[in-house]
């Protein structure tokens, strides 16, 4: 049996196994409430007590051991009530439910001589350690986000354990964000070319943020460092709104001396070239338009003319330290009518550049999200979620893109190597949820992510792509030993720093179909399994000027996965057992001759047109076992262990380039 047939057979058998188990999944977006109801006097279990999540149709009844469970609970804070004839109604408030997590709520009910009218309310306490966690997980609820003085998601993430900042970028367990799976309502929100995630999710739209930085279960793949799982808000039965405005005063946003501070003596130009006397006294340190030094009898410039040329071409490009920035965010949610709810969020930000060499004097960012939920019945829900983000920015707007020394030497020229960027992102997902009974529910989800990325010449640049060449100033100053002074020897001025090196345009779309079925087999065993299939449409044009490399093509790779996951919960042992199978196909061709892959050499020798020998790419697959164990010792101590195979396919950044 060949390798491809073996892989195909394994895949088919595993898929049939999932069908026989009647289960199918993507990233979890709900949690579970479990607990036990007992008599406060005798500690005996109460059979048939009704447990209700207040304000919803979710609930359960206790079994012969007094145990109950409620699955498919969206993340959030709830009040949970226990009711039974002959006992006081008991309500626990502030019960926090998190994604893919079992929240334990026990009740000790008191007898009463009245059937109705008496109740007890208790504020739930969150345990110091979570008994069922077998991975390194952190949850941030909407209430916590609102209480933090943060203006964007990155600021929230950087405060969590295992996440740091390096060079202005987030790193997760020392891995960059391209090694993280970033999910918004189940959508994998990232650019397929380089795995860079869309992380400008508005804070007011987040219901819960789950961060997994180690040992994630079989339902998660295509990640090595961690999982960021975001569930956005659904509108409630009452109209709610939120507004925020932030203002940043003008000021310097980089270390060191301000670029265009002409009062400091730290910059050579302030003590030399910005004074006419220097040009008169040192004609051997500058040249005219023909390249002749000022002391050459044939020079066409006087020192005064050279000085005026210098002053005219060495003016600040932007007033980047004199501009303020601001950010406005609005959100609104509530009912449209009885069974239809909405939640909208929008944010607009405008800010000056962090560097004086930015082509734009201001950058603007627009981000928004929308969510509609429609309950066809108590057991069926339809949800539509979308997000949008666009940025009008460029290099030097938010960070320094090249060496600091280079910046100071060429602070009177725009940085044009990578061109002028354009970008926008949008995503949509449609999700159908059907609760079959109190033990079982399933979802189907169809999502689309579109990423537009481009870089081209500066707007209004008449010289264009081919003719864009740097201009130098007239200084040729050297020190006493004859060594050129870096800040005073032919530095770039005007529009072009080096000339454009790259331009291109990518329109990348991925379509993903996912399915999930969760079954609480019994009070100790929950089983999940699922599938995920993604088809990509990569429309690429990239050109590198000095390498004579052009890529202009369409690519249609596809990938997918299936998995099965079991969660076993006992008094002193919680286990997460899973198996995942990932497959991927570039859906392209392989060139078979490694010495002359495009048949250029032999075709030239034989005086014919090239006819490269190729074959279709194969489907690659890999099985990944996952095991997580939690052993609760006390309410303050838990032992964890996990094992798994975690991997990521190579990104599409160089896919097909040639």
């Amino acid at each position: 049996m060949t390798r491809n047939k073996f892989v195909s057979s394994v895949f088919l058998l595993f898929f049939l196994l999932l069908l026989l188990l009647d289960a199918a999944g993507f990233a979890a977006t709900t949690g579970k409430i479990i607990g036990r109801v007992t008599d406060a006097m005798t500690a005996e279990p109460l059979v048939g007590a009704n447990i209700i999540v207040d304000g919803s149709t979710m609930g359960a009844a206790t079994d012969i051991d007094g145990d109950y469970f409620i699955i498919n609970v969206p993340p959030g804070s709830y009040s949970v009530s226990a009711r039974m004839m002959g006992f006081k109604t008991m309500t626990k408030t502030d019960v926090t439910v998190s994604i893919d997590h079992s929240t334990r709520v026990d009740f000790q009910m008191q007898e009463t001589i009245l059937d109705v009218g008496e109740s007890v309310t208790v504020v739930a306490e969150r345990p110091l350690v979570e008994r069922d966690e077998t991975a390194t997980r952190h949850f941030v609820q909407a209430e916590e986000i609102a209480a933090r003085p943060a203006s964007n998601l990155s600021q929230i993430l950087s405060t969590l354990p295992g996440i740091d900042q390096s060079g202005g970028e987030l790193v997760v367990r020392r891995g960059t964000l391209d090694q993280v799976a970033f999910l918004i309502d189940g959508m994998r929100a990232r650019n397929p070319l380089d795995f860079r995630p869309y992380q400008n999710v508005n804070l007011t739209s987040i219901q819960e943020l789950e961060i997994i930085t180690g040992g994630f279960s079989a339902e998660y793949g295509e990640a090595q460092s961690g999982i960021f799982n975001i569930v956005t808000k659904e509108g409630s039965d009452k109209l709610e709104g939120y507004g925020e405005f932030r203002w940043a005063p003008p000021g310097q946003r980089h270390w060191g001396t301000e670029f265009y501070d002409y009062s400091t003596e730290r910059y050579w130009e302030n003590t030399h070239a910005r004074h006419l006397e220097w040009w008169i006294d040192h004609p051997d340190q500058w040249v005219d338009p023909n390249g002749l030094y000022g002391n050459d009898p044939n020079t066409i410039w006087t020192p005064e003319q050279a000085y005026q040329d210098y002053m005219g071409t060495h003016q600040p490009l932007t007033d980047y330290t004199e501009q303020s920035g601001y950010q406005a965010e609005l959100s609104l949610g509530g009912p449209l009518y009885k069974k239809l709810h909405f939640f909208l969020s929008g944010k607009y930000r405008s800010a000056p550049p962090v560097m004086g060499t930015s082509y734009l004097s201001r950058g603007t960012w627009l981000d928004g999200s929308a969510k509609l939920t429609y309950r066809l019945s108590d057991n069926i829900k339809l949800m539509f979620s979308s997000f949008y983000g666009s940025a009008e920015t460029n290099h030097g707007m938010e960070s320094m893109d090249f060496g600091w020394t280079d910046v100071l030497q060429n602070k009177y020229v725009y940085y044009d190597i990578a061109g002028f960027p354009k970008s926008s992102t949008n995503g949509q997902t449609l999700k159908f949820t059907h609760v079959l009974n109190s033990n079982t529910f399933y979802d189907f989800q169809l999502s689309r992510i579109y990423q537009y990325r481009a870089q081209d010449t500066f707007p209004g640049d008449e010289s264009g792509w081919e003719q864009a060449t740097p201009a130098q100033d007239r200084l040729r100053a050297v020190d006493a030993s004859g060594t050129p002074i870096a800040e005073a020897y032919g530095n770039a001025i005007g529009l072009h720093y080096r000339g454009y090196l790259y331009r291109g345009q990518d329109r990348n779309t991925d379509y993903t179909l996912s399915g999930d079925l969760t079954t609480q087999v019994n009070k100790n065993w929950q089983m999940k399994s699922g599938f995920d299939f993604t088809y990509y449409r990569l429309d690429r044009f990239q050109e590198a000027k000095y390498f004579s490399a052009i890529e202009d093509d369409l690519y249609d790779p596809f990938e997918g996965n299936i998995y099965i996951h079991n969660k076993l919960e006992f008094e002193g042992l919680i286990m997460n057992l899973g198996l995942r199978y990932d497959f991927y196909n570039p859906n392209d061709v392989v060139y078979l001759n490694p010495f002359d892959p495009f048949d250029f050499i032999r075709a030239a020798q034989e005086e014919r047109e090239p006819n490269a020998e190729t074959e279709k790419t194969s489907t690659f697959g890999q099985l990944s076992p996952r095991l997580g164990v939690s052993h609760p010792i006390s309410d303050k101590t838990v032992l964890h262990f996990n094992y798994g195979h975690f991997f990521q396919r190579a990104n599409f950044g160089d896919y097909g380039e040639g």
Side-chain angles (χ1 to χ4, degrees):
M1 180 182 293
T2 65
R3 176 181 178 275
N4 290 338
K5 289 183 178 179
F6 174 75
V7 171
S8 300
S9 300
V10 172
F11 172 77
L12 180 60
L13 289 173
F14 191 50
F15 184 71
L16 290 175
L17 175 62
L18 293 182
L19 294 178
L20 291 172
L21 290 172
D22 192 27
F26 45 88
T29 57
T30 60
K32 178 172 64 172
I33 298 175
I34 63 172
R36 174 171 291 181
V37 182
T38 57
D39 189 315
M41 293 293 293
T42 66
E44 292 294 318
L46 296 179
V47 182
N50 292 313
I51 312 301
I52 302 296
V53 178
D54 295 344
S56 76
T57 59
M58 296 178 290
T62 56
D63 62 14
I64 193 171
D65 296 316
D67 295 323
Y68 75 93
F69 58 81
I70 305 172
I71 63 174
N72 195 32
V73 183
S77 182
Y78 298 92
S79 293
V80 182
S81 298
R83 298 183 175 91
M84 189 172 184
M85 293 290 290
F87 291 84
K88 296 179 182 180
T89 297
M90 189 172 188
T91 300
K92 287 200 174 184
T93 62
D94 295 340
V95 175
T96 300
V97 177
S98 297
I99 303 167
D100 204 20
H101 172 64
S102 298
T103 299
R104 190 168 191 86
V105 183
D106 294 327
F107 294 92
Q108 293 79 41
M109 301 187 71
Q110 302 172 8
E111 289 190 59
T112 179
I113 58 174
L114 299 175
D115 291 336
V116 294
E118 295 191 42
S119 63
V120 177
T121 301
V122 178
V123 178
E125 294 183 2
R126 194 161 188 172
L128 296 177
V129 295
E130 302 293 353
R131 296 163 53 90
D132 69 328
E133 286 189 3
T134 61
T136 305
R137 303 168 71 194
H138 307 282
F139 298 95
V140 183
Q141 304 281 346
E143 295 78 10
E144 298 177 64
I145 293 174
R148 298 190 182 195
S151 60
N152 57 63
L153 182 59
S154 295
Q155 293 174 350
I156 296 287
L157 295 172
S158 62
T159 65
L160 301 177
I163 303 177
D164 302 294
Q165 282 198 337
S166 177
E169 293 194 7
L170 293 177
V171 291
V172 181
R173 295 174 58 232
R174 310 314 303 166
T176 53
L177 288 184
D178 57 356
Q179 299 178 30
V180 173
F182 201 94
L183 306 167
I184 303 175
D185 289 332
M187 289 183 284
R188 188 177 290 270
R190 53 90 170 96
N191 190 333
L193 290 177
D194 55 14
F195 290 142
R196 303 300 295 180
Y198 170 76
Q199 53 182 321
N200 294 332
V201 182
N202 296 344
L203 295 183
T204 57
S205 70
I206 299 176
Q207 178 61 43
E208 181 171 87
L209 169 63
E210 177 193 27
I211 305 297
I212 309 175
T213 57
F216 31 94
S217 63
E219 61 187 306
Y220 298 107
E222 281 294 324
Q224 297 184 85
S225 294
I227 307 292
F228 293 176
N229 192 7
I230 294 175
V231 176
T232 61
K233 293 178 180 177
E234 297 181 7
S236 63
D237 289 331
K238 60 180 181 180
L239 191 65
E240 296 177 319
Y242 176 86
E244 176 185 271
F245 182 83
R246 294 173 182 256
W247 177 75
Q252 184 177 310
R253 295 170 176 82
H254 61 78
W255 58 269
T257 307
E258 190 263 313
F259 282 11
Y260 309 117
D261 181 357
Y262 299 125
S263 65
T264 178
E265 294 186 358
R266 296 187 61 182
Y267 297 149
W268 182 92
E269 64 171 316
N270 293 347
T271 55
H272 295 77
R274 302 195 77 84
H275 302 277
L276 175 59
E277 294 80 5
W278 181 87
W279 295 82
I280 297 173
D281 296 340
H282 299 85
D284 59 333
Q285 304 274 332
W286 54 267
V287 297
D288 68 6
N290 297 321
L292 299 177
Y293 280 88
N295 57 357
D296 190 307
N298 296 316
T299 183
I300 63 173
W301 268 359
T302 65
E304 288 78 10
Q305 290 174 314
Y307 170 71
Q308 291 299 326
D309 175 76
Y310 179 87
M311 295 298 290
T313 55
H314 289 68
Q315 295 296 317
L317 299 176
T318 63
D319 55 346
Y320 74 109
T321 61
E322 304 300 322
Q323 299 186 72
S324 61
Y326 64 89
Q327 173 179 301
E329 185 169 348
L330 295 172
S331 63
L332 183 67
L336 289 176
Y337 64 93
K338 186 175 181 180
K339 294 185 178 182
L340 180 63
H341 296 78
F342 76 96
F343 192 90
L344 303 173
S345 176
K347 180 173 68 177
Y348 179 82
R349 180 165 68 97
S350 178
V354 73
M355 293 168 51
T357 54
S358 164
Y359 179 80
L360 293 176
S361 59
R362 294 191 72 85
T364 57
W365 296 261
L366 177 64
D367 298 282
S369 64
K371 196 170 190 178
L372 289 173
T373 53
Y374 179 62
R375 293 192 174 276
L376 285 76
S377 68
D378 289 343
N379 297 327
I380 300 177
K381 182 175 75 171
L382 192 63
M383 183 271 288
F384 173 78
S385 176
S386 67
F387 69 88
Y388 172 83
S390 66
E392 186 173 346
T393 181
N394 57 210
H395 300 277
M397 181 63 66
E398 295 186 276
S399 62
M400 185 176 66
D401 295 273
F402 50 104
W404 188 255
T405 303
D406 233 9
V407 171
L408 294 179
Q409 294 174 15
N410 299 281
K411 58 188 178 183
Y412 297 105
V413 63
Y414 299 115
Y415 181 63
D416 62 352
I417 289 179
F420 186 78
K422 296 179 182 179
S423 67
S424 66
T425 303
N426 66 78
Q428 303 81 37
T429 185
L430 185 65
K431 181 178 179 181
F432 174 82
T433 302
H434 185 196
V435 178
L436 297 176
N437 52 53
S438 60
N439 293 16
T440 305
F441 71 94
Y442 68 87
D443 302 293
F444 281 107
Q445 177 168 301
L446 179 64
S447 62
R448 168 191 175 271
I449 305 290
Y450 175 77
Q451 297 264 354
Y452 175 77
R453 297 289 184 272
Q455 66 274 359
D456 208 332
T457 58
F458 289 137
D461 180 7
E462 296 180 358
S463 57
W465 164 259
E466 295 293 343
Q467 301 301 320
T469 55
Q472 292 184 336
D473 64 21
R474 311 301 179 185
L475 285 172
R476 298 294 184 269
V478 297
D479 60 21
S481 64
T483 303
I485 299 172
E487 290 184 62
Y489 201 95
N491 293 146
I493 56 174
L495 189 62
H496 299 292
Y497 171 65
R498 289 285 186 271
Y500 303 110
L501 296 186
Y502 306 98
R503 67 174 173 179
Q505 184 171 256
D506 289 319
R507 292 185 173 92
N508 304 314
T509 310
D510 59 87
Y511 304 91
T512 301
L513 175 65
S514 305
D516 171 86
L517 189 146
T518 301
T519 300
Q520 191 73 35
V521 181
N522 56 48
K523 62 185 179 182
N524 302 117
W525 179 17
Q526 184 183 77
M527 185 176 66
K528 299 172 66 177
S529 67
F531 71 90
D532 187 290
F533 180 81
T534 301
Y535 175 82
Y536 297 96
R537 184 68 169 175
L538 309 179
D539 184 352
R540 300 207 68 193
F541 169 76
Q542 295 292 325
E543 181 176 2
K545 182 188 293 185
Y546 296 133
F547 301 105
S548 300
I550 297 178
E551 179 186 6
D552 187 6
D553 215 332
L554 293 172
Y555 306 102
D556 299 287
F558 61 84
E559 64 182 332
N561 64 78
I562 52 178
Y563 77 88
I564 184 168
H565 172 73
N566 296 275
K567 185 174 185 178
L568 305 174
E569 299 179 86
F570 302 99
E571 184 64 27
L573 180 67
I574 293 93
M575 299 183 66
N576 285 298
L577 303 170
L579 184 64
R580 179 184 181 89
Y581 178 77
D582 290 90
F583 61 92
Y584 162 67
N585 193 320
N587 198 23
D588 206 336
V589 296
V590 176
Y591 293 91
L592 300 180
N593 186 347
F595 304 104
D596 186 16
F598 304 112
D599 195 37
F600 289 157
I601 299 175
R602 178 166 293 183
Q605 293 172 345
E606 298 176 359
E607 298 182 349
R608 59 174 174 80
E609 291 296 318
N611 183 23
E613 186 180 1
T614 64
E615 68 177 13
K616 291 290 292 181
T617 55
S618 302
T619 299
F620 304 91
Q622 178 168 322
L623 284 171
S624 303
R626 308 283 173 86
L627 169 64
V629 178
S630 173
H631 174 43
I633 298 175
S634 68
D635 60 347
K636 299 179 181 179
T637 307
V638 177
L639 293 178
H640 300 288
F641 168 81
N642 63 69
Y643 167 82
H645 291 182
F646 308 98
F647 70 97
Q648 220 174 348
R649 63 161 171 78
N651 65 46
F652 295 142
D654 298 321
Y655 187 66
E657 199 168 274

